[in-house]
Amino acid sequence: MQSWRRKSLWLALSASWLLILLRVFPVLRLAEPARRQAGGPQGWPRWLDAELLQSFSQPGELLEYGPQPPQAPRGGSCYREACFDASRCRGGSLKVFVYSAVGPISETPRKVLTSIEGSRYHTASAAEACLLVLVLSPDTPAGECHPALPQWDGGKNHLVLSLHPTPCLRIFQLGQAMVAEASPTVDTFRPGFDVALPLLPEAHPLRGGALGQLQQHSPLPGVALIAVAEDRGGWRLAGTNFSACPWDGRCEQDHGPKQTHPQATLPNATFCLIPGRSPDALHFLQALQAGCIPVLLSPRWELPFSEVIDWTKAAVVADERLPLQVLAALQEMPLTRVLALRQQAQFLWDAYFSSIEKVIHTTLEIIQDRISGASAHPSLLWNSPPGALLALSTFSTSPSDFPFYHLQQGSRPLGRFSALIWVGAPGQPPLKLIQAVAGAQHCAQILVLWSSKKPPPPRWPETAVPLTVLDGHRKASDRFLPYSAIDTDAILSLDAHSSLSTSEVDFAFMVWQSFPERMVGFLTWSHFWDEAQGGWGYTGERANEFSMVLTSAAFYHRYYHTLFTHSLPKALRTLADESPPCVDVLMNFLVAAVTKLPPIKVPYGPWHQKARPPPLAPGGPRFRAEPQPASQDCLNQMAAGFGHMPLVSSRLRLDPVLFKDPVSVLRKKYRSLEKP
């Protein structure tokens, strides 16, 4: 009996000490912005996994253990309403003027200037600008840190931007200017006014950028569990001895099986432990690219873009005072949670951090959201693929209006489609095509985009659906303008010389409803790397593999018209207008860059191609299946404009059931898909 009492007393004391330990030292929680609102109630941290770290107390019981409010931010009481005049933003639109560089500047500030000047926000007039940007260079001498700016006005409506630490930022008289700097400390950052940027390497690319390195859905057996960021810039893989502390000098060091060379390779591990000092912020971006879950050890800097990015879905914040508990918690994390965190880290890298252009455009889009107020991007658009930069708020702020959120919400677009027929050369009106499309079950309207020099006919055939004639500007990109007359989500893009049957249209629309974010087409091209020429090429030869569908007969979501018009650089749209076959390439580039997926091919009768007229001269309508040799170079120019090759190859073709099976014709839904 005495022994049982001693054991009970020992268990009670042990449980009490465990409760005290958990009350005083939070071990592990999902990452969240380091800042806190002063004076607000601070609840119990949200645990990473409820089963792994069970909460022994109710949220209201431990308010006194919340973090202390930060020190007074730099700039005193300067906040958005007091230091930013939104009335200068006409119509709620952000127009940005960037000051020219004073004296020699390094490569990174030059890339920043190029990114701003190439964005849709840029204006060359300081008078009509809503925001004026001053880019600081780390090479600027201390004596030139106060340039004479005639529009300064105490810094109001100004943004001082620095991607790398610079002495000017510490001595510059900021006044009422916003600051966008890399890895600002928590005590100097002004929430809702400043913008926290990532700390980028010197050789970070201007656009495109390297893809994330996550290739497997779960770690391979040979992948290390933990990589530890080192002071000299490299990574060290921690060993399997979890009784050792890999970052704290108070316990035995385990240097692991491998010592990596500084800056040699990205970490090949599941978790990346990053100390909380500001110089270690560069490791944070490396971990995102590698698909290694960042574990931030009591970070003392503001996480990049914390105003809009929910870092609880991609990173972990741990208490550096409890190394052994943190290691045990990471080791026991469920694989489903590991996969979710790694995938989100890869998405954030690709959407916002892989190039200087994306970092700058994200900064400007955050400021645009502040100006927009109620019409700003909701959190889902920022934190779900493809990201807010590709979900333009000028189109909608509701996720259900975009093509790439139906899968997440378990829905599919209903309704019908609009047929947009482009007439770009003299010839007879496409009467037969109009009749075939008008007879489709889900056709809502037919729009004839007349871009020919010859005037349109005064009368058109009567159809079961409304027919509207639109005036074009005689450019190949006319067909991709966001016409207000289009009142359906689905668009069937056609050329005047296209030839389709009603059954082909019906089946292709049914396929598109299942894949609304993709292009669904009939004729395909395939891109390839030409070793002899040292560049990209593409071909229209019929083969199993393809990566593009021709927009002379293709279904896609109308949102891509908005993205084509307002997102693509003007230089690429000009290139497409000068070489009409490049328009197909450009639209396929755009959709592939957004979705990271290939298009879908549906059956197209060979008798259509036999009935086609002979090839036209350059500049004529783009109904040919084979690309013209003169247009091959547009593939390389567009790959350079995007910064990478976004096209994805596929061998998938979707056919209706019982398409060519030897069964009764009455059992076939799409009877006319077979040659009559």
PDB file of all heavy atoms in Angstrom, residues 425-442:
ATOM      1  N   ALA A 425      -9.994  37.909 -92.424  1.00  0.00           N
ATOM      2  CA  ALA A 425      -9.542  38.048 -93.813  1.00  0.00           C
ATOM      3  C   ALA A 425     -10.763  38.086 -94.713  1.00  0.00           C
ATOM      4  O   ALA A 425     -11.839  37.582 -94.351  1.00  0.00           O
ATOM      5  CB  ALA A 425      -8.612  36.889 -94.203  1.00  0.00           C
ATOM      6  N   PRO A 426     -10.635  38.693 -95.888  1.00  0.00           N
ATOM      7  CA  PRO A 426     -11.779  38.735 -96.816  1.00  0.00           C
ATOM      8  C   PRO A 426     -12.254  37.336 -97.161  1.00  0.00           C
ATOM      9  O   PRO A 426     -11.475  36.409 -97.326  1.00  0.00           O
ATOM     10  CB  PRO A 426     -11.212  39.460 -98.041  1.00  0.00           C
ATOM     11  CG  PRO A 426     -10.046  40.233 -97.529  1.00  0.00           C
ATOM     12  CD  PRO A 426      -9.470  39.406 -96.418  1.00  0.00           C
ATOM     13  N   GLY A 427     -13.542  37.170 -97.246  1.00  0.00           N
ATOM     14  CA  GLY A 427     -14.104  35.875 -97.573  1.00  0.00           C
ATOM     15  C   GLY A 427     -15.577  35.840 -97.225  1.00  0.00           C
ATOM     16  O   GLY A 427     -16.162  36.834 -96.760  1.00  0.00           O
ATOM     17  N   GLN A 428     -16.169  34.693 -97.452  1.00  0.00           N
ATOM     18  CA  GLN A 428     -17.584  34.532 -97.158  1.00  0.00           C
ATOM     19  C   GLN A 428     -17.798  34.393 -95.657  1.00  0.00           C
ATOM     20  O   GLN A 428     -16.959  33.836 -94.947  1.00  0.00           O
ATOM     21  CB  GLN A 428     -18.129  33.303 -97.885  1.00  0.00           C
ATOM     22  CG  GLN A 428     -18.109  33.415 -99.396  1.00  0.00           C
ATOM     23  CD  GLN A 428     -18.993  34.532 -99.903  1.00  0.00           C
ATOM     24  OE1 GLN A 428     -20.060  34.778 -99.343  1.00  0.00           O
ATOM     25  NE2 GLN A 428     -18.549  35.218-100.952  1.00  0.00           N
ATOM     26  N   PRO A 429     -18.894  34.902 -95.130  1.00  0.00           N
ATOM     27  CA  PRO A 429     -19.196  34.712 -93.708  1.00  0.00           C
ATOM     28  C   PRO A 429     -19.295  33.228 -93.375  1.00  0.00           C
ATOM     29  O   PRO A 429     -19.717  32.422 -94.209  1.00  0.00           O
ATOM     30  CB  PRO A 429     -20.544  35.424 -93.531  1.00  0.00           C
ATOM     31  CG  PRO A 429     -20.636  36.378 -94.679  1.00  0.00           C
ATOM     32  CD  PRO A 429     -19.899  35.724 -95.813  1.00  0.00           C
ATOM     33  N   PRO A 430     -18.917  32.861 -92.177  1.00  0.00           N
ATOM     34  CA  PRO A 430     -18.914  31.430 -91.793  1.00  0.00           C
ATOM     35  C   PRO A 430     -20.317  30.928 -91.497  1.00  0.00           C
ATOM     36  O   PRO A 430     -20.638  30.583 -90.350  1.00  0.00           O
ATOM     37  CB  PRO A 430     -18.019  31.417 -90.552  1.00  0.00           C
ATOM     38  CG  PRO A 430     -18.208  32.777 -89.953  1.00  0.00           C
ATOM     39  CD  PRO A 430     -18.403  33.717 -91.104  1.00  0.00           C
ATOM     40  N   LEU A 431     -21.158  30.870 -92.507  1.00  0.00           N
ATOM     41  CA  LEU A 431     -22.566  30.529 -92.290  1.00  0.00           C
ATOM     42  C   LEU A 431     -22.731  29.092 -91.807  1.00  0.00           C
ATOM     43  O   LEU A 431     -23.508  28.822 -90.892  1.00  0.00           O
ATOM     44  CB  LEU A 431     -23.351  30.759 -93.581  1.00  0.00           C
ATOM     45  CG  LEU A 431     -23.276  32.190 -94.158  1.00  0.00           C
ATOM     46  CD1 LEU A 431     -24.135  32.285 -95.414  1.00  0.00           C
ATOM     47  CD2 LEU A 431     -23.729  33.206 -93.118  1.00  0.00           C
ATOM     48  N   LYS A 432     -21.987  28.165 -92.422  1.00  0.00           N
ATOM     49  CA  LYS A 432     -22.114  26.765 -92.030  1.00  0.00           C
ATOM     50  C   LYS A 432     -21.640  26.555 -90.603  1.00  0.00           C
ATOM     51  O   LYS A 432     -22.259  25.799 -89.832  1.00  0.00           O
ATOM     52  CB  LYS A 432     -21.317  25.900 -93.001  1.00  0.00           C
ATOM     53  CG  LYS A 432     -21.488  24.405 -92.769  1.00  0.00           C
ATOM     54  CD  LYS A 432     -20.739  23.592 -93.812  1.00  0.00           C
ATOM     55  CE  LYS A 432     -20.911  22.101 -93.572  1.00  0.00           C
ATOM     56  NZ  LYS A 432     -20.176  21.288 -94.596  1.00  0.00           N
ATOM     57  N   LEU A 433     -20.560  27.215 -90.222  1.00  0.00           N
ATOM     58  CA  LEU A 433     -20.058  27.105 -88.852  1.00  0.00           C
ATOM     59  C   LEU A 433     -21.056  27.677 -87.855  1.00  0.00           C
ATOM     60  O   LEU A 433     -21.269  27.112 -86.777  1.00  0.00           O
ATOM     61  CB  LEU A 433     -18.711  27.817 -88.737  1.00  0.00           C
ATOM     62  CG  LEU A 433     -18.049  27.821 -87.358  1.00  0.00           C
ATOM     63  CD1 LEU A 433     -17.713  26.406 -86.918  1.00  0.00           C
ATOM     64  CD2 LEU A 433     -16.787  28.685 -87.362  1.00  0.00           C
ATOM     65  N   ILE A 434     -21.668  28.789 -88.214  1.00  0.00           N
ATOM     66  CA  ILE A 434     -22.653  29.414 -87.324  1.00  0.00           C
ATOM     67  C   ILE A 434     -23.831  28.467 -87.084  1.00  0.00           C
ATOM     68  O   ILE A 434     -24.304  28.305 -85.948  1.00  0.00           O
ATOM     69  CB  ILE A 434     -23.123  30.750 -87.914  1.00  0.00           C
ATOM     70  CG1 ILE A 434     -21.994  31.782 -87.841  1.00  0.00           C
ATOM     71  CG2 ILE A 434     -24.352  31.268 -87.174  1.00  0.00           C
ATOM     72  CD1 ILE A 434     -22.327  33.094 -88.514  1.00  0.00           C
ATOM     73  N   GLN A 435     -24.300  27.825 -88.137  1.00  0.00           N
ATOM     74  CA  GLN A 435     -25.418  26.899 -87.981  1.00  0.00           C
ATOM     75  C   GLN A 435     -25.040  25.709 -87.103  1.00  0.00           C
ATOM     76  O   GLN A 435     -25.827  25.255 -86.270  1.00  0.00           O
ATOM     77  CB  GLN A 435     -25.878  26.418 -89.362  1.00  0.00           C
ATOM     78  CG  GLN A 435     -26.497  27.506 -90.234  1.00  0.00           C
ATOM     79  CD  GLN A 435     -27.837  27.995 -89.692  1.00  0.00           C
ATOM     80  OE1 GLN A 435     -28.424  27.390 -88.806  1.00  0.00           O
ATOM     81  NE2 GLN A 435     -28.315  29.113 -90.238  1.00  0.00           N
ATOM     82  N   ALA A 436     -23.823  25.178 -87.285  1.00  0.00           N
ATOM     83  CA  ALA A 436     -23.399  24.027 -86.484  1.00  0.00           C
ATOM     84  C   ALA A 436     -23.282  24.387 -85.014  1.00  0.00           C
ATOM     85  O   ALA A 436     -23.700  23.627 -84.130  1.00  0.00           O
ATOM     86  CB  ALA A 436     -22.074  23.490 -87.017  1.00  0.00           C
ATOM     87  N   VAL A 437     -22.715  25.548 -84.721  1.00  0.00           N
ATOM     88  CA  VAL A 437     -22.534  25.954 -83.322  1.00  0.00           C
ATOM     89  C   VAL A 437     -23.865  26.332 -82.693  1.00  0.00           C
ATOM     90  O   VAL A 437     -24.131  26.020 -81.518  1.00  0.00           O
ATOM     91  CB  VAL A 437     -21.527  27.115 -83.240  1.00  0.00           C
ATOM     92  CG1 VAL A 437     -21.435  27.644 -81.817  1.00  0.00           C
ATOM     93  CG2 VAL A 437     -20.161  26.675 -83.730  1.00  0.00           C
ATOM     94  N   ALA A 438     -24.727  27.005 -83.440  1.00  0.00           N
ATOM     95  CA  ALA A 438     -26.020  27.416 -82.894  1.00  0.00           C
ATOM     96  C   ALA A 438     -26.881  26.224 -82.516  1.00  0.00           C
ATOM     97  O   ALA A 438     -27.740  26.328 -81.632  1.00  0.00           O
ATOM     98  CB  ALA A 438     -26.754  28.298 -83.899  1.00  0.00           C
ATOM     99  N   GLY A 439     -26.652  25.089 -83.159  1.00  0.00           N
ATOM    100  CA  GLY A 439     -27.425  23.905 -82.826  1.00  0.00           C
ATOM    101  C   GLY A 439     -26.925  23.156 -81.615  1.00  0.00           C
ATOM    102  O   GLY A 439     -27.551  22.172 -81.198  1.00  0.00           O
ATOM    103  N   ALA A 440     -25.804  23.589 -81.034  1.00  0.00           N
ATOM    104  CA  ALA A 440     -25.266  22.919 -79.852  1.00  0.00           C
ATOM    105  C   ALA A 440     -26.212  23.086 -78.670  1.00  0.00           C
ATOM    106  O   ALA A 440     -26.877  24.114 -78.513  1.00  0.00           O
ATOM    107  CB  ALA A 440     -23.887  23.464 -79.516  1.00  0.00           C
ATOM    108  N   GLN A 441     -26.250  22.084 -77.828  1.00  0.00           N
ATOM    109  CA  GLN A 441     -27.208  22.054 -76.727  1.00  0.00           C
ATOM    110  C   GLN A 441     -26.991  23.185 -75.723  1.00  0.00           C
ATOM    111  O   GLN A 441     -27.948  23.720 -75.167  1.00  0.00           O
ATOM    112  CB  GLN A 441     -27.112  20.700 -76.020  1.00  0.00           C
ATOM    113  CG  GLN A 441     -28.053  20.531 -74.843  1.00  0.00           C
ATOM    114  CD  GLN A 441     -27.888  19.191 -74.163  1.00  0.00           C
ATOM    115  OE1 GLN A 441     -27.088  18.361 -74.594  1.00  0.00           O
ATOM    116  NE2 GLN A 441     -28.647  18.965 -73.094  1.00  0.00           N
ATOM    117  N   HIS A 442     -25.737  23.580 -75.494  1.00  0.00           N
ATOM    118  CA  HIS A 442     -25.426  24.548 -74.437  1.00  0.00           C
ATOM    119  C   HIS A 442     -24.972  25.898 -74.975  1.00  0.00           C
ATOM    120  O   HIS A 442     -24.409  26.694 -74.219  1.00  0.00           O
ATOM    121  CB  HIS A 442     -24.338  23.976 -73.527  1.00  0.00           C
ATOM    122  CG  HIS A 442     -24.720  22.690 -72.865  1.00  0.00           C
ATOM    123  ND1 HIS A 442     -25.593  22.627 -71.806  1.00  0.00           N
ATOM    124  CD2 HIS A 442     -24.358  21.402 -73.126  1.00  0.00           C
ATOM    125  CE1 HIS A 442     -25.748  21.365 -71.429  1.00  0.00           C
ATOM    126  NE2 HIS A 442     -25.012  20.605 -72.218  1.00  0.00           N
TER     127      HIS A 442
END
